[in-house]
Amino acid sequence: MHRALWYLLWLDFRGSLRSVLNIRNSWRQVVLLLLMLLFVGMIISARAFDPSGSGGGRFGAAMPFWALLYLLATWLTASADRGLVMRPAEVHFIVGGPFRSPDVITLNLVRLAFRSLISATVLSLIATAYVSSFPAALMGMWLLIVVSLLIGMIASLSARSAHTMSIKRLRRLVSMFALAGFLMLIIQAMGQLREHGEVPQISTVAAAAINTPIGRVILPPLGWMFAPLSSANFFPDACLLMPARLAVLGLLIAMVYALGGRYAEASTNRTDQSVTKRQNALRSGIAGGAGAASWTRRLRVPMPAALGGIGSVAWMQMTHSLRILPRYLIFTAAIVGLVLVVPLMVDPDRLKGWGMMSWMTGLTLYADFLLLLQLPVGFLGPVSQREMLKSLPIPSWRIVVGQLAGPLLPVLVLHSLVASLFLYLVPQQRSQVLVLSLALLPAALVVTANVNLLGMWNIIRPKALQQRDALAAGRAMASVWIFFAMLIPAIFVSAACAGLLAALTGVPMLSYLIGGSLGALLSSSIYISLLARAFRKWQPSSREGGQEEVEHDR
């Protein structure tokens, strides 16, 4: 590779390190860094003090299933060719320079290997409780991420000479067959478990998948390639066949070089698409641009009372969410499907009393979190709306309350579906399900305010601006950690209110639900005040408005 490209890699690494370490001017970044270090330290210390408690044995049989799921998720996100994307300034430098296509390919491959190592480190730390050896898991996770990216690059480079519409139709067809095959794999695994008298659960279905007719064909190669993920020891178990696995990796890299005759042109086109998508999303809040939802412009919700500006802002946000919801129906339906399928795989004995409440609460609030990441509404919406709201003569806290009403309709629909499912699963606890569904509405407000606060702090990004591939996994997990850490005050306040009300009334279950919901309402004021303060201090910039040429996901 040309010496100038090695120097470009060094500048990239130094700039990334500087952006990570440049926390002196922001107390918020210091606090978030400490929270990250705290979570990582907790995971490492738990593994160090209880080495025998790891779930390596349980994870070993299920590892090929999860590897297949990871590869399918990378393919279905339509961003598997992330390896072709560069910064616009780098494209101008490379296209105008004396660099051959192999040099440009080497530049991107070295960068992907380094970034994949960072993501693999974070994911391996999270998986410490399920693996026997962290170094082996790190090796397997790095292989998994790199293979998924190389396959995406090969598919994208192979399709460059074909007709665009033909490729789109072929990709959809392959995706449909892949999803149908994966669903059939799960059905066969559940059938085998029932034949042996076992209740299908997520962990048992994943472990039994390799013994199904489809699993015997698909999963063994994946189990061999990514075997370090479930290896008991780094040496010799994980290292024994590592040369053979690196040879497979070398074959994939050779295919990239063989297909990369016009790599600079392909990378330029893919980068232009990425930048255009980002600019459209920043200006309109929709990944496809403002015209992507033109047929829904006539939809609107009834106008509520003004309420000093709160009602007007809430109407604008609810109308915006209603108009863009069709663009996100696939992701929303996937979330709803996941939430509705998981309880069906749980042992019915666990859906009784407090077990039912724990399952319903956890699934509902986690589904709220995932749903809010999909919809660019509130403070995760277009920056142009923030600029317009900034110019209004309305106090910041009123604007914040109105903004939080944006995802109200999708959240209500999601809560209704989950409540209906649990009414079907546990009809003998109908009253408890109905009371819990009402008590979860204030908790949904806390989740919504928390997500918007992290979006205002640029920690969580809207779906349209996220890097949806393997390299984003580590950053996404870190965002989830920070999200749950930010929920700690609400959990303490809700628990205190629930305990106090139960002690005063002597009716444990009902008092816990009512007290928890009151505590959630009280704690939501903490996030609303922080959100109002952040919005009051926020000033629009040209980069946030999509006016600058910047990388799609920095």
Side-chain angles (χ1 to χ4, degrees):
M1 190 170 67
H2 198 281
R3 287 195 308 172
L5 297 182
W6 284 112
Y7 185 65
L8 182 63
L9 277 176
W10 164 246
L11 292 178
D12 184 18
F13 170 75
R14 191 177 65 178
S16 301
L17 185 62
R18 181 184 299 169
S19 64
V20 171
L21 298 179
N22 188 22
I23 60 176
R24 294 174 298 175
N25 299 326
S26 175
W27 64 267
R28 185 177 69 245
Q29 293 185 14
V30 175
V31 173
L32 295 178
L33 177 62
L34 292 177
L35 285 175
M36 279 289 299
L37 295 177
L38 175 63
F39 275 105
V40 172
M42 290 171 59
I43 293 175
I44 295 176
S45 61
R47 182 71 175 87
F49 287 109
D50 188 19
S52 60
S54 65
R58 292 181 289 124
F59 180 69
M63 184 273 295
F65 175 86
W66 297 118
L68 175 63
L69 179 61
Y70 187 92
L71 293 175
L72 284 177
T74 303
W75 172 263
L76 294 175
T77 55
S79 293
D81 55 351
R82 172 66 188 173
L84 297 177
V85 180
M86 294 187 292
R87 294 185 179 88
E90 292 175 344
V91 171
H92 299 326
F93 173 74
I94 290 173
V95 170
F99 308 117
R100 301 176 298 117
S101 290
D103 291 341
V104 182
I105 294 174
T106 304
L107 170 70
N108 274 1
L109 290 179
V110 173
R111 177 183 296 162
L112 285 178
F114 174 72
R115 293 181 178 178
S116 300
L117 182 61
I118 297 176
S119 295
T121 302
V122 176
L123 293 175
S124 300
L125 284 173
I126 297 172
T128 302
Y130 301 96
V131 297
S132 300
S133 171
F134 173 77
L138 176 61
M139 181 187 298
M141 193 68 70
W142 182 79
L143 283 173
L144 180 60
I145 295 175
V146 171
V147 167
S148 65
L149 293 174
L150 287 177
I151 291 176
M153 292 176 67
I154 292 171
S156 181
L157 292 173
S158 302
R160 287 292 164 180
S161 59
H163 192 264
T164 305
M165 290 303 300
S166 302
I167 292 301
K168 288 183 178 180
R169 292 170 182 170
L170 180 61
R171 187 185 183 94
R172 292 175 183 172
L173 187 62
V174 172
S175 301
M176 291 175 59
F177 275 111
L179 284 176
F182 188 72
L183 181 61
M184 185 61 63
L185 177 68
I186 295 176
I187 293 174
Q188 290 179 354
M190 294 176 66
Q192 281 195 358
L193 290 173
R194 289 195 177 98
E195 289 178 1
H196 291 84
E198 300 182 30
V199 178
Q201 300 180 22
I202 297 178
S203 58
T204 56
V205 169
I210 197 170
N211 298 319
T212 61
I214 296 179
R216 295 190 191 100
V217 177
I218 301 176
L219 297 183
L222 297 179
W224 175 83
M225 184 66 188
F226 309 118
L229 276 170
S230 57
S231 297
N233 300 296
F234 177 72
F235 185 84
D237 295 348
C239 298
L240 184 61
L241 294 177
M242 195 60 191
R245 297 185 181 97
L246 291 178
V248 175
L249 207 63
L251 179 62
L252 295 176
I253 293 174
M255 294 178 65
V256 172
Y257 278 103
L259 296 170
R262 302 173 66 183
Y263 187 87
E265 179 182 350
S267 181
T268 301
N269 293 335
R270 181 63 178 85
T271 303
D272 290 342
Q273 293 175 8
S274 179
V275 172
T276 302
K277 175 183 174 181
R278 182 183 188 276
Q279 291 174 341
N280 289 334
L282 284 168
R283 295 184 182 119
S284 65
I286 304 176
S294 58
W295 66 274
T296 62
R297 289 184 179 276
R298 293 186 297 272
L299 300 177
R300 64 180 60 203
V301 297
M303 183 70 181
L307 300 176
I310 295 177
S312 302
V313 176
W315 175 83
M316 181 186 68
Q317 281 300 309
M318 288 190 289
T319 302
H320 176 65
S321 66
L322 181 65
R323 290 176 177 177
I324 68 172
L325 188 59
R327 289 285 299 173
Y328 298 88
L329 279 179
I330 297 178
F331 290 99
T332 306
I335 293 172
V336 173
L338 175 65
V339 172
L340 298 183
V341 167
V342 168
L344 299 176
M345 303 175 65
V346 178
D347 189 350
D349 294 334
R350 299 185 180 182
L351 297 178
K352 293 180 180 179
W354 289 107
M356 180 276 296
M357 293 189 173
S358 300
W359 274 102
M360 184 174 174
T361 302
L363 286 173
T364 304
L365 296 182
Y366 189 63
D368 288 342
F369 172 67
L370 295 178
L371 179 64
L372 291 170
L373 294 183
Q374 314 304 317
L375 301 177
V377 296
F379 290 102
L380 274 73
V383 179
S384 58
Q385 286 188 3
R386 289 195 215 174
E387 295 176 349
M388 183 270 295
L389 293 173
K390 192 77 173 177
S391 64
L392 296 178
I394 303 175
S396 298
W397 70 269
R398 294 183 183 179
I399 293 177
V400 167
V401 174
Q403 288 278 86
L404 296 181
L408 178 62
L409 296 178
V411 167
L412 287 178
V413 172
L414 183 59
H415 281 228
S416 301
L417 290 173
V418 176
S420 301
L421 174 66
F422 276 87
L423 286 174
Y424 167 76
L425 292 176
V426 284
Q428 66 277 12
Q429 303 181 58
R430 185 176 293 111
S431 59
Q432 296 176 3
V433 172
L434 293 176
V435 172
L436 180 59
S437 62
L438 294 176
L440 286 175
L441 293 178
L445 175 62
V446 172
V447 173
T448 304
N450 193 1
V451 169
N452 277 268
L453 178 60
L454 296 180
M456 194 68 198
W457 286 349
N458 291 324
I459 297 172
I460 290 180
R461 299 178 181 180
K463 185 68 180 179
L465 302 183
Q466 288 177 4
Q467 175 183 321
R468 294 175 293 161
D469 61 14
L471 290 178
R475 181 167 51 197
M477 288 297 179
S479 300
V480 172
W481 283 351
I482 297 171
F483 167 77
F484 284 111
M486 293 289 293
L487 286 179
I488 292 177
I491 294 174
F492 277 121
V493 174
S494 300
C497 291
L500 179 61
L501 192 61
L504 294 176
T505 60
V507 185
M509 187 167 292
L510 185 60
S511 300
Y512 285 144
L513 293 178
I514 297 176
S517 60
L518 291 176
L521 283 176
L522 291 174
S523 59
S524 64
S525 61
I526 301 174
Y527 302 99
I528 291 176
S529 61
L530 289 174
L531 196 50
R533 183 179 183 274
F535 178 69
R536 188 167 58 250
K537 291 181 173 294
W538 175 78
Q539 295 295 332
S541 64
S542 58
R543 187 180 73 176
E544 285 183 313
Q547 305 300 326
E548 279 188 5
E549 255 194 351
V550 293
E551 186 192 6
H552 172 57
D553 292 299
R554 294 185 65 179

